[in-house]
Amino acid sequence: MGTNEQKYVDEAFRTNWIAPLGPNVNQFEEAIQQFINNDVHVAALSSGTGAIHLALEILGVGKGDEVICQSLTFSASANPIKYLGATPVFVDSEKETWNISPKLMEKAILDRIALGKKPKAIVAVHLYGMPYNVAEITAIATKYEIPVVEDSAEALGSSVNDVNCASFGDIGILSFNGNKIITTSGGGALVSKNVDFKKKAVFLATQARDDAPHYQHSHVGYNYRMSNVLAGIGRGQMEVLNDRVAARRSNFQFYKDKLSHLEQLEFLNEPEGYFSNRWLSCILTPSYEMRERIRYALSQEDIESRPIWKPMHLQPIFKNEPNYSDGTSEELFERGLCLPSGSNLTNQDLERIVSIILKELS
Ligand SMILES: *Cc1c(COP(=O)(O)O)cnc(C)c1O
């Protein structure tokens, strides 16, 4: 936590705004909007997963539809497709950003169209804070008139050519889960330049009540709005977001400075114009065996590290869904390791981590 979170939470208690609406919710939305880009509209929600669910529903995804989804991601990018009775079509990553490959995505779109099913939406992800190839993905999506849900759950504070992530897609989504770059313990947001999408999101997130004095419903609704108590945490967190990004980037730089002389290790560099919040610092090791050796050596010292996301097309729950892969994400999963990346790591912590890795590789 930063310094003012408690103050805003106290404000909610003092004014008795203990509800999924209130001044903190409005102020938090305003702060996100100002940070990202003044022409976006923001709906604060109870989770990033809920935000993706609403985004897909607002874009018209329903039963029997197909939705393109980046395979290398956390399962929450794909699960909402299933909530709606639609089919995820998984697409592999490119090496440059580890995110959805424009080439394979276009191939998948053409193939699905040939099969008589044009995808209803695309879920593209800025994994670990590194933006996906925004120019090409947007161009292909525009060419085939397929809307993009920009999963920016890991990428608040990232940008391309100084334009912030969450403002590129038809709808962007954010997460404030406890593990993200800033947190409200649990929470999320839907972001869009289309004010009607925001209004629709708030409507659906608050049980879809029609405009009537009694309880009247002509849509199935959800209970997805953010609590005014938690939004107080969010307001305080927005004040320290830039510090958190700086801390995460400095972790990455530390690892890179101390380890990149080892030819066995690869780091994911920012392409020209890209700015990653470096939510997690990841390395590519030469082999699965070496990755596991490093992971085990760290764990022996009580230091947690984790393999890179297991691609969705390899997950038991999704293995029978259509997928367009070329082995890139499978290799990243085998050889990649997420290193400790918290914003509160000290230089001493980082030195300790690096010395264990150096010992394993020398
Ligand atoms: C965390 C995360 C989500 C889900 O956000 P929650 O707020 O935890 O529901 C979705 N996509 C990605 C890529 C994530 O990392």
Side-chain angles (χ1 to χ4, degrees):
M1 291 292 101
T3 42
N4 286 332
E5 288 85 348
Q6 184 82 60
K7 183 182 97 184
Y8 298 128
V9 170
D10 286 347
E11 213 169 279
F13 274 73
R14 203 178 60 245
T15 55
N16 217 17
W17 274 105
I18 312 295
L21 79 168
N24 278 340
V25 173
N26 300 339
Q27 295 287 330
F28 183 37
E29 289 178 342
E30 178 87 19
I32 298 167
Q33 176 186 329
Q34 273 172 14
F35 180 88
I36 290 177
N37 175 346
N38 259 318
D39 55 317
V40 298
H41 307 274
V42 178
L45 301 169
S46 55
S47 72
T49 311
I52 297 171
H53 187 185
L54 294 184
L56 292 170
E57 181 159 335
I58 289 166
L59 294 172
V61 174
K63 208 171 165 180
D65 289 334
E66 290 193 350
V67 175
I68 299 235
C69 183
Q70 182 166 321
S71 185
L72 189 67
T73 186
F74 178 48
S75 64
S77 304
N79 281 333
I81 299 168
K82 300 293 276 187
Y83 301 168
L84 290 161
T87 301
V89 175
F90 293 112
V91 173
D92 213 330
S93 289
E94 57 167 12
K95 293 198 166 62
E96 292 80 359
T97 64
W98 297 1
N99 294 311
I100 191 163
S101 152
K103 237 210 276 253
L104 284 174
M105 187 177 90
E106 185 160 28
K107 183 171 172 238
I109 293 171
L110 287 171
D111 198 43
R112 300 327 283 180
I113 291 174
L115 291 167
K117 265 222 166 116
K118 183 174 151 181
K120 259 294 183 49
I122 294 163
V123 179
V125 189
H126 306 300
L127 217 57
Y128 302 122
M130 180 63 76
Y132 61 73
N133 186 333
V134 168
E136 284 191 42
I137 295 298
T138 309
I140 296 166
T142 308
K143 179 172 162 192
Y144 295 98
E145 298 181 314
I146 305 173
V148 175
V149 175
E150 182 192 357
D151 183 343
S152 309
E154 303 176 2
L156 182 55
S158 299
S159 59
V160 179
N161 297 326
D162 293 325
V163 180
N164 277 304
C165 287
S167 68
F168 294 114
D170 294 80
I171 297 181
I173 76 95
L174 297 170
S175 168
F176 308 108
N177 197 46
N179 58 339
K180 297 305 198 295
I181 190 141
I182 60 165
T183 181
T184 58
S185 81
L190 182 144
V191 179
S192 182
K193 288 183 179 152
N194 184 334
V195 69
D196 290 334
F197 287 172
K198 179 204 163 152
K199 284 186 189 152
K200 189 102 188 266
V202 172
F203 170 75
L204 291 170
T206 52
Q207 310 285 19
R209 272 187 73 186
D210 293 343
D211 191 13
H214 54 277
Y215 282 89
Q216 167 104 1
H217 304 274
S218 30
H219 289 270
V220 172
Y222 306 94
N223 186 2
Y224 278 173
R225 198 72 163 121
M226 178 176 276
S227 153
N228 192 59
V229 179
L230 299 184
I233 304 176
R235 279 180 75 185
Q237 287 275 281
M238 283 307 290
E239 295 172 9
V240 294
L241 172 56
N242 286 326
D243 299 339
R244 297 295 180 266
V245 173
R248 301 259 170 171
R249 286 179 61 86
S250 129
N251 289 339
F252 179 85
Q253 202 52 49
F254 189 100
Y255 288 130
K256 202 174 162 192
D257 289 347
K258 302 275 171 152
L259 294 170
S260 65
H261 66 282
L262 299 168
E263 273 170 22
Q264 300 129 289
L265 295 186
E266 290 170 55
F267 288 81
L268 182 60
N269 293 314
E270 290 161 323
E272 182 72 29
Y274 281 48
F275 181 89
S276 169
N277 67 10
R278 297 291 185 189
W279 174 57
L280 297 189
S281 292
C282 307
I283 49 172
L284 269 190
T285 66
S287 64
Y288 171 79
E289 290 70 26
M290 185 56 82
R291 201 277 310 280
E292 283 301 281
R293 238 177 77 184
I294 296 171
R295 194 176 66 79
Y296 185 73
L298 289 168
S299 116
Q300 288 298 94
E301 297 289 325
D302 260 342
I303 298 169
E304 188 186 24
S305 64
R306 271 191 211 167
I308 277 174
W309 300 121
K310 179 172 180 171
M312 289 305 112
H313 70 275
L314 300 181
Q315 297 287 352
I317 186 74
F318 292 127
K319 67 179 194 300
N320 296 324
E321 309 292 359
N323 83 78
Y324 294 79
S325 55
D326 64 3
T328 303
S329 63
E330 293 181 25
E331 196 181 328
L332 290 168
F333 171 55
E334 268 190 22
R335 292 168 44 207
L337 189 66
C338 305
L339 298 175
S341 302
S343 317
N344 52 359
L345 286 171
T346 63
N347 261 25
Q348 212 177 347
D349 295 331
L350 290 162
E351 289 284 6
R352 225 179 112 215
I353 296 157
V354 160
S355 72
I356 294 163
I357 298 173
L358 284 171
K359 208 167 102 199
E360 287 309 307
L361 286 171
S362 59

